[in-house]
Amino acid sequence: MDKHGAPSLHIMRSQLGRARGLGAAKSGLHHWWGQRVTAVALLPLSLYFVVSVLMLAGADRARMAAFMAEPWNTVLYLCLIAALFYHLALGVQVVIEDYVNNEAKRMAGILAVKGLIFFCALACAVSVLKLAF
Amino acid sequence: MKDVREALFVGRNTEGKLIRRPISPFMLGSAYKPQMSSMTSIAHRITGCALGLGTLLLTLWLVCAASGDDAFSVIQAVLASWIGILILIGFTAAMFYHFCNGIRHLAWDAGRGFDLPTMHRSGWTVVAATAVCTVGFWVIAFLVW
């Protein structure tokens, strides 16, 4: 649209690029695939998490530490943390991309949220390891 | 032109005149009735965001457990309070919904279940499974507590 609201065409792309579709995919497939892989991984891991939480209902710290010190529980919790936070980072990125139109704000938002998610993931992993060892 | 997608909104009518192409109204709003497809989709996103906030609680829980007895007894007391239980009920409901509807999405990714009767059936199955799992979880939780 021009400044008077009448339709006009301003295409800054090659005809070939336009005919082929919506532009370079860059890392789009990686994002989509990563979301699916972590989703599949989270199917058994989240069920394990539910069972573990039921086992730890009302537990004191000693019982929780003993639980996390079991090798399978340590490993499963670390797998859960990795898959969960990666899945979360990819999901939140899509939500921000959908609703924040301003490019600078969008990038700042994604970086801030992904930074927070990375921080929380590391805090969880270190806490599990500290309980385990 | 602020957005490159604007270029795709402009086309020509049968007289060759440049026109702005019509676009569909936004999925939520007065243009459409609430439908199984749109409602389960937006609920998937809302529960996903809620679970994102829930991971902050998970982080707090694990960090407190690693920090020491005092910190852990505080977080356990907060989670066992009525407001803590309420938040955890919401968290488990969101988790079971996102889990069940996620399976639905994976089936769609595999190209299955796209026809309308199947989509409606799977949608109601997700709602029912969420209710059953959430109630079941809390019955077991109060029994083992």
Side-chain angles (χ1 to χ4, degrees):
Chain A
M1 302 284 259
D2 66 12
K3 61 178 183 280
H4 305 296
S8 61
L9 268 178
H10 299 283
I11 297 174
M12 308 282 280
R13 300 175 53 189
S14 72
Q15 294 297 313
L16 178 64
R18 193 175 170 218
R20 274 185 172 166
L22 297 168
K26 298 197 181 77
S27 54
L29 179 66
H30 180 255
H31 182 286
W32 187 90
W33 185 241
Q35 188 94 71
R36 269 69 193 170
V37 169
T38 50
V40 172
L42 281 168
L43 292 178
L45 288 171
S46 55
L47 289 180
Y48 161 76
F49 173 67
V50 166
V51 173
S52 77
V53 165
L54 285 175
M55 287 168 73
L56 289 168
D60 58 7
R61 187 171 172 268
R63 220 176 92 204
M64 177 130 169
F67 177 87
M68 289 296 176
E70 295 283 338
W72 287 119
N73 290 330
T74 317
V75 171
L76 283 169
Y77 253 85
L78 290 177
C79 288
L80 170 74
I81 289 162
L84 175 67
F85 283 97
Y86 192 45
H87 189 79
L88 175 63
L90 295 175
V92 172
Q93 181 186 342
V94 174
V95 173
I96 293 174
E97 283 169 349
D98 278 354
Y99 301 128
V100 183
N101 286 324
N102 180 290
E103 195 157 354
K105 281 183 192 162
R106 183 165 66 221
M107 185 180 277
I110 290 172
L111 286 176
V113 171
K114 281 194 170 174
L116 177 67
I117 289 170
F118 183 76
F119 180 83
C120 286
L122 214 52
C124 284
V126 168
S127 297
V128 166
L129 290 172
K130 184 151 184 279
L131 281 166
F133 292 103
Chain B
M1 189 166 64
K2 272 192 176 156
D3 193 318
V4 289
R5 285 170 298 185
E6 289 268 317
L8 299 169
F9 294 160
V10 175
R12 285 181 198 281
N13 65 9
T14 47
E15 291 160 7
K17 205 175 140 216
L18 278 177
I19 51 155
R20 191 178 167 77
R21 287 194 173 119
I23 55 171
S24 308
F26 186 59
M27 57 187 166
L28 302 173
S30 55
Y32 300 104
K33 281 189 290 189
Q35 293 168 67
M36 178 57 81
S37 49
S38 58
M39 290 300 117
T40 50
S41 172
I42 194 68
H44 196 72
R45 181 159 278 198
I46 290 169
T47 52
C49 292
L51 290 168
L53 293 176
T55 58
L56 295 177
L57 208 59
L58 171 69
T59 307
L60 207 60
W61 186 59
L62 288 172
V63 169
C64 283
S67 300
D69 290 325
D70 293 344
F72 191 60
S73 56
V74 168
I75 188 79
Q76 288 292 73
V78 169
L79 292 177
S81 69
W82 68 269
I83 191 142
I85 298 280
L86 216 59
I87 290 171
L88 288 178
I89 289 174
F91 180 72
T92 47
M95 186 177 63
F96 286 126
Y97 178 84
H98 205 82
F99 181 93
C100 297
N101 203 48
I103 294 172
R104 202 161 160 248
H105 271 278
L106 289 171
W108 286 333
D109 289 338
R112 287 165 190 276
F114 275 121
D115 61 296
L116 281 179
T118 309
M119 189 275 291
H120 277 100
R121 208 164 48 239
S122 63
W124 284 117
T125 306
V126 164
V127 173
T130 304
V132 168
C133 288
T134 308
V135 171
F137 175 91
W138 284 99
V139 167
I140 295 171
F142 284 120
L143 284 178
V144 298
W145 204 330

